[in-house]
Amino acid sequence: MTPFLLVLSSPSGAGKTTITKALLAARDDLGFSISATTRPPRSSEVDGVDYHFLTPGEFERRRAAGAFLEWAEYGGQRYGTLVSEVERVLAQGRHVILDIEVQGARQLRERRPDVVSIFLLPPSVDELVARLGGRGTDRPAGLEQRLRRAVDELGEAHHYDYLVVNDDRTQAVAEVAAIIDAESRRTRRQQASLERVQALRRGLTELVATLSRPAEQQGKG
Ligand code: 5GP
């Protein structure tokens, strides 16, 4: 089966990182494309595992050298998918899962027609606000900016191949897994099965030829 690129996007707070991690833990036919970014690591993040953390100069050098399949600016920082990451995962025979924002997803859809894209939706306004830490009267710093960005991001949702509502995490993971399974079975991605079709046709053609010979020739050689 020919592996493909699976893009997951969502507004921040709609759970794409959690869902990506759950899928990677559950399935060995998936590998993660470790993005490059200029933003500093968070306390739990490890360079080369969560991201390749680059200086702005190094990011620019790689961009100019054509190292990125796509890149975008988000929240004042740069993020990009390295061609080498996508190739590393494809070479393992795995589908490449990319947790990227909407501008990058758009570039990928234009450059790689075989990409499968999924947009994860928050179940409601209240739930999104709550997941961003805005429960009750809490208004964390940056909440308004993130909500504004969510409005823009949701404006891109209709360009994606699939929409999945992340109401219940287990259910959302199961729905994404079902999409991966169905996309894996697309005819164009199943070279081995296409060869089996040819073998079946050859076998059946030979059988029909035998059956259509006059009775006295059958069995007498
Ligand atoms: P964060 O800084 O919270 O890890 O990510 C911020 C946003 O950047 C998220 O929407 C994430 O999906 C997106 N992002 C992460 N890596 C890439 C990438 O390689 N390319 C693009 N275009 N967006 C990315």
Side-chain angles (χ1 to χ4, degrees), residues 8-12 16-17 32-37 39-40 42 45 50-51 59 68 70-75 77-82 98-105 107 146 149 153:
L8 273 184
S9 297
S10 73
S12 102
K16 74 182 162 312
T17 304
F32 184 58
S33 162
I34 304 166
S35 293
T37 182
R39 87 148 161 75
R42 297 183 186 127
E45 289 177 333
D50 299 285
Y51 280 104
F59 192 101
F68 291 116
E70 61 74 32
W71 70 275
E73 234 171 83
Y74 185 94
Q77 301 289 349
R78 289 180 165 198
Y79 296 83
T81 301
L82 292 158
L98 303 112
D99 168 343
I100 66 176
E101 53 70 66
V102 296
Q103 305 164 72
Q107 293 171 48
R146 291 172 91 175
R149 202 154 48 204
E153 288 166 333

